[in-house]
């Protein structure tokens, strides 16, 4: 019989669990911009998480106060650089409400159309980048290919690829180019015909489902507590969408086409599914707007404004259902050509705070999956 040797290993204080502080960022490749996460770990499990923001802060709200109502549109469209057209809308809607101004029907329907095309552009970016963060590189190539189709028509109508600067107080900068509606309809149809790639490549991938199902579950109570909105809130069963519940632009006449996508699970997979299904609906809404524009008689696309535009004294709040969630502007005017105060309520700022609720108790390996599923833009946090 072969002799055996026994070794006694002493267990001392070093074997006890010890908290470790880990900084993710402020320049981490898994984030959409410059964000820092301060994590307290017990082994591989996160005990406490604190998002540290402010690395991209530009002081946009103070800059609003030094520029007139035409110039602030340029500042407003930059905080969420994937939703520039939608960002502009809140400002012009607020100023128009203060002025009691009625916008021509042609401008209303064109704004709605461009807002939905902008929603598709925003969602496609996350539909491609989220799988990339989990190790799947192919979907982002398809996402950028489809984005180019929509960006071509957006660039043709506005002159800009990301920062469109096409909204004006009273309407839009100018009318649509000749034949643009036909090209836009072809782009929408082409993108829709290829969206099935994301169902097959991403949702049909068992590794993706394994990394996201049941991970990062956000409860409806946390959604309300942190003011979370948009696809992330609806993925947790919070059925709220300003386009349906407080219609603006032409959404009141699009209720038959508008579909508010919800899920009950509240996990990373549900958030991705909401985003994907909402993209399909945005394409349907764009088609409906194109149909209505074709029926409208020729008419103005904007209102004639005075050389110096002054909003009357008072205050108002204009909010819109941006691609990432609720975007609001609280405008206070003293009757001057510049806002006395313009407070911005951005979607990503509230949404990212939910990380303090989502990350504790999860493994470090799930951190990127949860972080990416919040679909945020850091400029929208820091503004």
């Amino acid at each position: 019989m072969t002799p055996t040797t026994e070794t006694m290993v002493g267990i001392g204080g070093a074997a006890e669990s010890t908290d470790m502080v880990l900084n993710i960022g402020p320049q981490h490749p898994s984030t959409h911009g410059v964000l820092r996460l301060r994590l307290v770990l017990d082994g591989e499990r996160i005990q406490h998480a604190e998002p540290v923001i402010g690395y991209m802060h530009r002081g946009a709200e103070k800059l609003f106060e030094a520029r007139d109502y035409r110039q602030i549109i340029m500042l407003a469209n930059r905080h969420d650089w994937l939703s520039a057209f939608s960002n502009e809308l809140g400002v012009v809607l607020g100023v128009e409400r203060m002025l009691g101004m009625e916008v021509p029907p042609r401008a209303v329907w064109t704004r709605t159309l461009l807002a939905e095309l902008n929603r598709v552009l925003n969602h496609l970016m996350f539909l491609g980048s989220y799988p990339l963060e989990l190790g799947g590189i192919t979907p982002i190539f398809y996402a950028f290919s489809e984005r180019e189709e929509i960006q071509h028509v957006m660039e043709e109508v506005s002159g800009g690829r990301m920062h469109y600067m096409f909204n004006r107080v009273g309407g839009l900068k100018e009318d649509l180019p000749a034949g643009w509606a036909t090209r836009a309809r072809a782009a929408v149809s082409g993108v829709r015909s290829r969206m099935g790639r994301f169902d097959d490549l991403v949702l049909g991938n068992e590794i993706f489902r394994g990394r996201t199902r049941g991970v990062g579950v956000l409860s409806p109570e946390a959604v309300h507590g942190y003011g979370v909105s948009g696809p992330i809130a609806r993925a947790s069963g919070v059925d709220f969408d300003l386009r349906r519940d407080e219609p603006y632009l032409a959404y009141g006449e699009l209720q038959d086409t508008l579909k508010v996508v919800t899920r009950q699970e509240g996990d990373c997979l549900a958030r991705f599914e909401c985003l994907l299904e909402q993209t399909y609906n945005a394409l349907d809404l764009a088609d409906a707007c194109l149909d209505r524009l074709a029926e409208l008689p020729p008419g103005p696309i904007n209102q004639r404004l005075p050389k110096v535009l002054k909003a009357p004294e008072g205050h108002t709040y204009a909010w819109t259902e941006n691609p990432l969630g609720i975007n609001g502007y609280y405008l206070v005017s003293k009757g001057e050509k510049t806002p006395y105060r313009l407070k911005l309520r951005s979607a990503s700022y509230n949404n990212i705070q939910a990380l303090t609720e989502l990350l504790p108790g999860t493994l470090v390996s799930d951190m990127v999956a949860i972080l990416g599923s919040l679909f945020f833009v850091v400029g929208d946090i820091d503004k």
Side-chain angles (χ1 to χ4, degrees):
M1 186 174 180
T2 306
T4 59
T5 303
E6 293 183 0
T7 303
M8 181 69 72
V9 178
I11 299 177
E16 297 177 3
S17 63
T18 304
D19 289 345
M20 179 177 72
V21 177
L22 178 67
N23 280 292
I24 305 294
Q27 293 173 324
H28 195 271
S30 295
T31 63
H32 301 274
V34 187
L35 175 72
R36 172 184 163 211
L37 291 179
R38 184 181 181 276
L39 307 178
V40 178
L41 307 179
D42 180 6
E44 296 260 341
R45 200 164 291 277
I46 298 171
Q47 300 287 67
H48 177 75
E50 177 191 0
V52 182
I53 63 176
Y55 291 95
M56 296 185 68
H57 181 60
R58 298 181 295 122
E61 292 177 347
K62 294 304 291 181
L63 292 174
F64 288 150
E65 299 171 14
R67 284 154 178 81
D68 65 34
Y69 290 108
R70 292 181 175 89
Q71 295 169 326
I72 59 176
I73 298 171
M74 177 273 296
L75 289 170
N77 72 14
R78 279 163 165 74
H79 57 88
D80 174 3
W81 48 77
L82 296 176
S83 311
F85 188 86
S86 302
N87 298 340
E88 299 170 11
L89 273 175
V91 172
V92 295
L93 290 174
V95 179
E96 287 162 4
R97 188 178 299 170
M98 293 280 282
L99 292 167
M101 180 180 289
E102 187 173 343
V103 178
R106 191 166 183 79
V108 172
W109 282 97
T110 306
R111 280 177 174 179
T112 311
L113 166 61
L114 296 177
E116 290 305 313
L117 291 177
N118 195 191
R119 193 180 308 276
V120 174
L121 283 172
N122 176 287
H123 290 356
L124 280 170
M125 175 63 79
F126 290 107
L127 291 173
S129 67
Y130 186 47
L132 179 65
E133 289 161 5
L134 298 180
I137 192 171
T138 307
I140 198 163
F141 294 121
Y142 287 126
F144 270 91
S145 175
E146 305 312 324
R147 275 173 55 85
E148 282 299 311
E149 290 283 321
I150 304 295
Q151 278 194 306
H152 282 322
V153 294
M154 293 292 281
E155 184 176 10
E156 182 186 357
V157 75
S158 68
R161 283 181 61 83
M162 288 185 69
H163 304 300
Y164 305 108
M165 277 299 295
F166 198 55
N167 276 290
R168 296 291 187 271
V169 176
L172 294 167
K173 176 187 172 187
E174 57 197 7
D175 209 342
L176 304 174
W180 181 87
T182 303
R183 293 186 287 276
R185 194 182 294 276
V188 169
S189 176
V191 171
R192 183 190 289 107
S193 68
R194 295 183 293 270
M195 284 297 294
R197 293 167 171 173
F198 295 98
D199 291 283
D200 299 336
L201 276 176
V202 185
L203 288 181
N205 186 292
E206 61 184 66
I207 298 174
F208 178 83
R209 299 182 77 87
R211 291 289 307 275
T212 56
R213 182 188 282 135
V215 175
V217 177
L218 184 65
S219 68
E221 293 77 20
V223 167
H224 293 301
Y226 286 94
V228 175
S229 60
I232 302 168
R234 293 190 283 274
S236 295
V238 178
D239 188 6
F240 180 73
D241 191 312
L242 284 174
R243 296 174 298 169
R244 179 198 63 194
D245 301 321
E246 194 173 313
Y248 58 98
L249 295 180
Y251 290 114
E253 300 180 50
L254 290 169
Q255 297 302 305
D256 292 339
T257 308
L258 176 64
K259 179 183 177 184
V260 179
V261 183
T262 60
R263 292 289 188 276
Q264 299 302 318
E265 296 82 1
D267 57 9
C268 295
L269 180 60
R271 291 191 276 274
F272 186 86
E273 287 176 341
C274 277
L275 202 73
L276 179 56
E277 200 169 331
Q278 194 168 281
T279 308
Y280 281 108
N281 187 239
L283 292 168
D284 292 341
L285 288 167
D287 265 341
C289 291
L290 285 165
D291 291 341
R292 184 57 189 271
L293 278 169
E295 298 169 359
L296 288 177
I301 198 77
N302 50 37
Q303 295 277 25
R304 190 173 183 84
L305 299 177
K307 188 173 182 180
V308 178
L309 179 64
K310 295 183 179 181
E313 190 167 346
H315 61 93
T316 190
Y317 182 67
W319 58 347
T320 55
E321 187 69 40
N322 269 31
L324 299 182
I326 293 174
N327 190 77
Y329 293 97
Y330 177 61
L331 171 63
V332 181
S333 172
K334 295 290 187 181
E336 301 296 329
K337 66 178 182 178
T338 61
Y340 176 76
R341 183 79 171 91
L342 188 58
K343 174 72 174 70
L344 167 60
R345 188 267 189 221
S346 60
S348 298
Y349 180 82
N350 285 72
N351 292 356
I352 205 69
Q353 308 307 320
L355 284 171
T356 59
E357 186 95 9
L358 284 174
L359 290 178
T362 64
L363 296 172
V364 175
S365 56
D366 290 328
M367 184 270 297
V368 172
I370 296 170
L371 183 65
S373 74
L374 291 187
F375 310 132
F376 62 92
V377 171
V378 179
D380 203 39
I381 302 170
D382 290 347
K383 39 195 178 172

